[in-house]
Amino acid sequence: MTAPHERLRARLGDPALYLDDPADTAPYGRDWIGKYEGAVPLVVRPRSTAEVSAVLAACTELDVPVVPQAGNTGMVGGSVPRAGEVVLSVERMGVIEAFDEASATVRVQAGVVLEALQGFLAERGCDMPVDLGARGSCRIGGMIATNAGGIKVLRYGHMREQVRGLEVVLADGTVVEGLNILRKNNTGLDLKQVFIGSEGTLGVITRAVLQAQPAPQAFQTALAGLASRALLPPLLQAARARFPRLSSLEFVDGATVAYVREADPELRIPLAGEHGSYVVIEEECAAGEAAGEAFAAGLESLLEDGLIEDAVIAGSEAQARAIWRVREAPTETVSRRGLTHKFDVTVPPGVIPAFLGEMETLADGFPGVRAVLFGHLGDGNVHVNMAQEPGLADADFRAMEADLADAIYGAVHGHQGSISAEHGIGVMKRAYLPLARSPEEIALMRTLKAALDPKGILNPGVILGP
Amino acid sequence: MTAPHERLRARLGDPALYLDDPADTAPYGRDWIGKYEGAVPLVVRPRSTAEVSAVLAACTELDVPVVPQAGNTGMVGGSVPRAGEVVLSVERMGVIEAFDEASATVRVQAGVVLEALQGFLAERGCDMPVDLGARGSCRIGGMIATNAGGIKVLRYGHMREQVRGLEVVLADGTVVEGLNILRKNNTGLDLKQVFIGSEGTLGVITRAVLQAQPAPQAFQTALAGLASRALLPPLLQAARARFPRLSSLEFVDGATVAYVREADPELRIPLAGEHGSYVVIEEECAAGEAAGEAFAAGLESLLEDGLIEDAVIAGSEAQARAIWRVREAPTETVSRRGLTHKFDVTVPPGVIPAFLGEMETLADGFPGVRAVLFGHLGDGNVHVNMAQEPGLADADFRAMEADLADAIYGAVHGHQGSISAEHGIGVMKRAYLPLARSPEEIALMRTLKAALDPKGILNPGVILGP
């Protein structure tokens, strides 16, 4: 019996549709962080929805497992083959098809790169409010399939909230076209919701209609120091009420700031003294608007209420950048100093102080490991960085990953948090899925998977495991 | 063989769980507009998730069809029996269970009345941003099951956007508990999305965690006159960019305002002259904020760009109410003058002017019928009211409904609009579902229905028809 990829190649016929030279296919088998790698016998590269449909119909008929791939910038190993699956890449579906001015919606193929879409929209006075570090290579289809978040979730939500219409090809090749541009459309089941965030396990996203937003014209940015991390939850509550257009509310733990300062004496913290916690507060506003007074009054009231000890407002773009450096520097510091195990988790905002304390205590139990802690206060998303200290061998540090993951995900579970805030489950976290979801939820996921992909050809092993 | 409801009653045992006296059950069989009515042999009224689970497990085992019912305030006949089904009412599940201050989330049972929740949140400085006319009787479970919209969709979205966690009981009695409070939680399929807006056909919602918002402290309100309805789409575009906290953007057609003025000479339009179209613009702002200047500057720029002819800003709450009267008066006028066929549709905002013209022309073809046109410009939701004029007999007017619906939904379909913006499909619009959704979409809805409710006991006939 021939191998699955050989059956598919024979059926496809036209060599313009695929790559099969190992030199060409190898890059599709490695994720960008170099953590996941698999053999890739065949990469199919359709140029249209009709071609995706024909490929999937053949895969179902011939029992060929497929890994859908867009920008391949995921963090959890969900877009590279594990067992010689065929890769279905949407990279040649890169057309921005239409822009509707009145509704500010844009229709794109799944292979459009985020940065290209951002440029297209900027020329029209608009913006795509989901923005990520990987903007130069991540593609819209993958962002929808993983329900990407990013730095503006607090104000605009995830990809799910930006998707107005979606076209999906099912495992059997059926094209389900729901490319409407409407904000209000309660006509039966909202099918697109089933596929958003399904990590390529229920269908292949081929096109989408996305809601753009007016490009923000100006920002108000401040850095505030808190006496203690215990004040983070009441600060969040107060900020939500006092800054109606809050676009960012980020925190960095006091011990993390001290660590970064020590490691990088050049870093200027634009706030005197030492504080238990630091918070970056940013609001969007209209150009030329007299927004500064209201923003300053909001900070003043936080001071009066004893929620913050001190604050500085950026008076220029350079000062705003210096404030944001405080939030971004820890990531750079840990990567410069050694290896890091990174955990992207959410806990209810009210338990952030307790959780941060637990992470410190936990790191104390792993000699040579330091907890570097920061994240998005606005939505409870904590980036737990367990960083290698000088003196601990790389191999020893690497060997700690599973124990760290067990302990951290266990603590998250204890707080009814999420073991994956933004990155999804992929293959990396599937062993921990029972910590995040109940047996009934997992059974229901299997029911949906069986109904939509009865042969299990789509991204096998992702989310639910083998 | 005994009737299904008799099998269920025998199984339930405890009479405290149900009503079966026709005098008690009859009200559960009528919708509030008096359009749909069906016989109700048995009303089951569980008090807990466990009781809902036991009831549904028995219904699946005994082949008993069930109509889930919350506030019974729907517009499309989806919550009353059609063929002697048992009603499962959540009216005794009215507990507001928990409020989490830091995340501003509230956990409720499905039978909580919206107004009760609004009162609870107001005491905590918060607000539920989905608000409806039926607030005194609609219940949260029904609002989620129908993905209710209301008057703030432009700024806050539908119920879907407010739901953080959901507990659902499947047809076989399985309790799927996903009551998390987290904003960011990408841990596998987002199962709640499957049930939101499914109109009780896939499961019974028993509890939910909802995101509250800070209560708005003040508003800026204006009424503007446009030379022509053709200016509505560019006005929408400009308003989106110039009013960053736009909470309402409502339009009333010029001919509709003239008609209401004639019918109600007491109505004071707080704007001189006659205009082709009228728009109410409202922004939320913080108390004491110097927001008035920015708001006035925004209106000024609309005038300079020729998008509006004239505008008036409310200087007091009384003036704001007078402005809102212009938007609300047409509804009252049509109901005072006679019968009305109401159609809740969405078209892409860019085609609103053309669509309004088509609705006028269409009404001309039905002697004795007048088109009364207004709606939510911000999301393309047009309320098409086809109103009875004096001289046309009630019976003749009633007989026109199907022809009007065919013509209006046909026009909506031609513009790739939605035949149900907010109200859902229920039984009223199921014959028109093929105008809204493709055969592949409808087939996929049937696949999901078969996977989740294989015996078809849940709200049979709703959305997909028999």
Short mmCIF file of all heavy atoms in Angstrom, two decimals, chain A residues 155 263 310:
data_model
loop_
_atom_site.label_atom_id
_atom_site.label_comp_id
_atom_site.label_asym_id
_atom_site.label_seq_id
_atom_site.Cartn_x
_atom_site.Cartn_y
_atom_site.Cartn_z
N ARG A 155 -9.36 46.45 25.17
CA ARG A 155 -10.30 47.37 24.54
C ARG A 155 -11.09 46.73 23.39
O ARG A 155 -12.27 47.00 23.23
CB ARG A 155 -9.55 48.61 24.03
CG ARG A 155 -10.46 49.65 23.37
CD ARG A 155 -9.87 51.04 23.44
NE ARG A 155 -10.41 51.92 22.42
CZ ARG A 155 -11.57 52.56 22.49
NH1 ARG A 155 -12.34 52.37 23.54
NH2 ARG A 155 -11.98 53.34 21.52
N ALA A 263 20.34 43.94 36.17
CA ALA A 263 20.93 43.29 34.99
C ALA A 263 21.24 44.31 33.90
O ALA A 263 22.11 44.07 33.07
CB ALA A 263 19.96 42.24 34.45
N ASP A 310 2.90 56.95 43.34
CA ASP A 310 3.52 57.97 42.50
C ASP A 310 3.17 57.65 41.05
O ASP A 310 2.83 56.51 40.73
CB ASP A 310 5.06 57.93 42.68
CG ASP A 310 5.72 59.21 42.18
OD1 ASP A 310 5.00 60.14 41.74
OD2 ASP A 310 6.97 59.26 42.23
#
